[in-house]
Amino acid sequence: MTRHVYHCPLRWGDMDSLGHVNNSRYVDYLQDARVDLLFRTAKELGADELDTGLLVARHEVQYRAPLVYREAPVRIELWISRIRAASFEVDYEILDVEPERKVYVEARTRLVPFDFTANRLRRITPIEREALEKLVSS
């Protein structure tokens, strides 16, 4: 699969006192893109539980360049990079592609399936694995 693309609008309130996007706001951008990928795309692939039964286990964020406010949305490319028995990882790039490729952030999130009724972690089901494998890219 090709990378999933999400266009995220910037908000004036996302800026810090130096006029850059505040580092904590990037995690919000990643969440918006991840929700778009999993709630919409995974559901279309038949993995309905992926939109209601996941917890974030880890975030890794590498800041590459400052991002300042502008009216145009920022492009977020994301994909599934690793699938294990009871977790999977989503990789991201927040970037511009016009007029040249400029990467602002590279990030990774580890997600774990969770059974909220039983209040415990659970393994990835075969249906979920099949859907996630269709979202793997590099």
Side-chain angles (χ1 to χ4, degrees):
M1 177 187 160
T2 59
R3 294 179 176 191
H4 182 77
V5 175
Y6 177 75
H7 296 281
C8 184
L10 303 180
R11 297 170 294 264
W12 184 256
D14 294 345
M15 301 305 121
D16 61 19
S17 61
L18 299 174
H20 305 117
V21 170
N22 184 286
N23 64 347
S24 65
R25 303 317 267 164
Y26 286 107
V27 175
D28 291 338
Y29 296 170
L30 300 176
Q31 176 176 274
D32 290 348
R34 189 174 62 252
V35 165
D36 187 64
L37 171 70
L38 295 175
F39 283 28
R40 186 170 53 88
T41 306
K43 193 170 206 147
E44 290 169 3
L45 296 172
D48 294 349
E49 287 190 29
L50 287 176
D51 69 356
T52 59
L54 291 173
L55 296 177
V56 172
R58 180 182 178 91
H59 283 305
E60 298 173 30
V61 182
Q62 295 180 330
Y63 303 97
R64 300 292 185 201
L67 176 60
V68 297
Y69 179 81
R70 81 280 182 91
E71 290 185 23
V74 69
R75 178 183 178 101
I76 302 177
E77 295 182 4
L78 62 157
W79 61 97
I80 304 300
S81 59
R82 181 180 222 176
I83 306 169
R84 297 182 134 175
S87 69
F88 64 96
E89 293 177 351
V90 180
D91 284 6
Y92 318 77
E93 287 184 332
I94 298 178
L95 63 134
D96 287 325
V97 292
E98 301 284 335
E100 60 187 46
R101 185 175 175 83
K102 181 174 184 177
V103 177
Y104 299 103
V105 165
E106 294 174 329
R108 175 173 288 157
T109 301
R110 182 179 304 137
L111 297 162
V112 294
F114 195 82
D115 181 336
F116 285 97
T117 303
N119 197 32
R120 64 178 176 81
L121 298 175
R122 64 176 181 79
R123 297 176 81 72
I124 293 172
T125 68
I127 291 171
E128 291 168 338
R129 177 173 295 282
E130 182 180 338
L132 290 170
E133 286 173 351
K134 292 176 183 172
L135 302 173
V136 172
S137 184
S138 58

